[in-house]
Amino acid sequence: MKYDDVTSNDLRPSRRTVTRAAAWSVPVVAAAAAVPAYAASCTPLTNVSMPIPATGTVTNNGRDYSLTYTPPSGQFADPVTMTIKASYVGRMAPGSESQNVPLYTTFNPVGGLGTRGLGLIQTVTGNSTVPGRSARGIYTIGFTKPVTNLRFWLTDIDVLAGDYDDRIELSNSGWSEVVTSRGSGISGLGTEASPWRGAGSYNDNTSGAGNVRVQFAGPVSSFDLTYWNNIGSFSGVDRNQGVFLTGITFDYQPC
């Protein structure tokens, strides 16, 4: 989709235009006896939810994003951090072309889900010729601990004549993704040969027509999301486009 108007701190897309430490002195025998109890308490955490905050941690001149899940106090569990690292091929660039909306701007709500989404916002630059997949953004999404049963939504995969025609691919590195839900406007398999694409322009605040729900059985440490613009020809409209990441849940072994 494209972006025009910034109306509030929780931005909404317009259809116009991411210590555990203890030290004490104990006898050696007592410390050894404590190990099995600690090990027994280290059970997998399941259905961990990682909601998108209004403002996340953005570094590397706006190209890297991180969000950390910290287990509740009292659990023998290490936190896990999700990272996103953006890189670009050809004439694709981060953020919007003309509305000064940064790459990782959040919008609320997205996908008709009533949740905040993390924007992957990019634009084709340069002259009016259409580069297609030769201009693309590559977003490497990783976790500091391997996760299983990773689930998330991608929303607002759609098309507007003369401006954007979203194409989304996910990498496959020995594990397979399962599409558990797909909006009425979405076709494709999410691969390079058959990327996800929309059939029209959708109101992402209220509509789920441009949504895809993905699940990886895992374990997953990282994967690539490739995003490009397949518009037939550019009109006088800017060439901003964006999709949103939301509803992230997973299981992991915390220690």
Side-chain angles (χ1 to χ4, degrees):
M1 75 160 286
K2 60 170 280 220
Y3 309 88
D4 262 346
D5 303 323
V6 177
T7 59
S8 67
N9 290 334
D10 250 351
L11 298 177
R12 296 172 181 263
S14 167
R15 299 316 308 168
R16 289 178 46 224
T17 359
V18 133
T19 293
R20 174 171 56 86
W24 61 88
S25 177
V26 294
V28 173
V29 172
V35 171
Y38 174 87
S41 68
C42 187
T43 57
L45 298 181
T46 61
N47 202 33
V48 168
S49 177
M50 186 175 273
I52 302 298
T55 303
T57 301
V58 180
T59 55
N60 190 24
N61 295 316
R63 294 197 177 195
D64 293 353
Y65 178 91
S66 63
L67 181 61
T68 297
Y69 168 78
T70 301
S73 177
Q75 291 191 8
F76 288 108
D78 294 330
V80 61
T81 298
M82 180 187 76
T83 60
I84 306 177
K85 297 181 180 297
S87 60
Y88 299 91
V89 173
R91 287 174 25 223
M92 191 62 75
S96 69
E97 180 184 40
S98 56
Q99 280 79 40
N100 193 31
V101 179
L103 165 61
Y104 295 118
T105 302
T106 65
F107 291 78
N108 187 27
V110 297
L113 300 169
T115 60
R116 182 183 291 108
L118 178 67
L120 302 181
I121 301 167
Q122 60 184 31
T123 186
V124 175
T125 63
N127 58 44
S128 60
T129 59
V130 181
R133 193 179 185 275
S134 65
R136 59 190 184 272
I138 302 170
Y139 301 92
T140 300
I141 301 174
F143 296 86
T144 53
K145 283 179 168 288
V147 299
T148 58
N149 293 322
L150 172 64
R151 298 155 296 244
F152 56 89
W153 288 97
L154 292 171
T155 81
D156 206 33
I157 304 171
D158 60 353
V159 55
L160 179 64
D163 192 358
Y164 57 84
D165 186 354
D166 296 332
R167 292 290 191 270
I168 297 286
E169 312 161 14
L170 296 185
S171 65
N172 190 324
S173 302
W175 33 259
S176 61
E177 66 271 16
V178 176
V179 178
T180 58
S181 178
R182 181 162 43 199
S184 60
I186 297 297
S187 59
L189 302 176
T191 63
E192 180 176 347
S194 178
W196 287 314
R197 56 195 180 274
S201 180
Y202 315 125
N203 184 329
D204 191 49
N205 293 141
T206 59
S207 174
N211 294 359
V212 175
R213 178 66 161 170
V214 179
Q215 178 173 342
F216 292 129
V220 176
S221 293
S222 68
F223 64 95
D224 287 344
L225 184 157
T226 300
Y227 183 25
W228 51 285
N229 193 342
N230 193 53
I231 198 68
S233 61
F234 292 124
S235 67
V237 186
D238 63 68
R239 290 156 279 176
N240 304 334
Q241 61 176 158
V243 293
F244 304 97
L245 180 65
T246 191
I248 305 164
T249 62
F250 52 82
D251 307 338
Y252 80 104
Q253 184 69 39
C255 46

